[in-house]
Amino acid sequence: HLGEWADTIHHTGKDGDSVTYAFTGKGIEVLTDLNPDEGSVDIFMDETLAKTIDCKSVARQVQQVIFQQQWPEERLHEIKLVKRGGSFMLLDAFRVRHSDLQD
């Protein structure tokens, strides 16, 4: 194992593949690995493109928070990650917050 959350990770190699997660909370973090063979990922929050992230890095880094968002009140949200390019899109974990995120 390479240090991923709960020693598991999910991946796809096909552009356009996606993962969607509905949750109730005040915030969310997306954890993944950064690696030389990773590519770009579109992150949609409540059906709106929030950010495109490039997950390529010179060396492997595990449990990296590539995206986070928080809201003043806890409510239902949906996050969607879509593979745009590169060899792989990895997802280690979604971490839902029920209180304010701390720096």
Side-chain angles (χ1 to χ4, degrees):
H1 300 286
L2 301 171
E4 285 88 4
W5 183 266
D7 290 326
T8 62
I9 197 152
H10 304 279
H11 72 280
T12 183
K14 184 179 175 193
D15 288 353
D17 276 1
S18 66
V19 58
T20 302
Y21 179 62
F23 64 96
T24 299
K26 286 183 75 171
I28 185 131
E29 295 177 337
V30 178
L31 283 75
T32 191
D33 289 6
L34 303 180
N35 203 39
D37 63 356
E38 303 313 310
S40 55
V41 177
D42 284 336
I43 300 177
F44 292 84
M45 198 72 248
D46 298 324
E47 300 183 1
T48 300
L49 179 63
K51 198 167 194 179
T52 299
I53 305 289
D54 184 0
C55 297
K56 188 173 186 169
S57 82
V58 212
R60 179 176 213 99
Q61 301 171 55
V62 298
Q63 291 193 33
Q64 298 299 299
V65 176
I66 60 162
F67 178 81
Q68 69 177 17
Q69 188 165 342
Q70 60 183 353
W71 302 271
E73 296 179 6
E74 189 164 310
R75 68 178 184 90
L76 181 63
H77 296 280
E78 183 178 274
I79 188 167
K80 181 177 183 179
L81 279 57
V82 181
K83 181 182 179 306
R84 282 192 61 174
S87 297
F88 296 100
M89 175 179 76
L90 301 180
L91 172 62
D92 191 5
F94 290 116
R95 188 162 41 205
V96 176
R97 299 291 186 177
H98 298 283
S99 60
D100 294 336
L101 297 178
Q102 301 297 316
D103 290 329

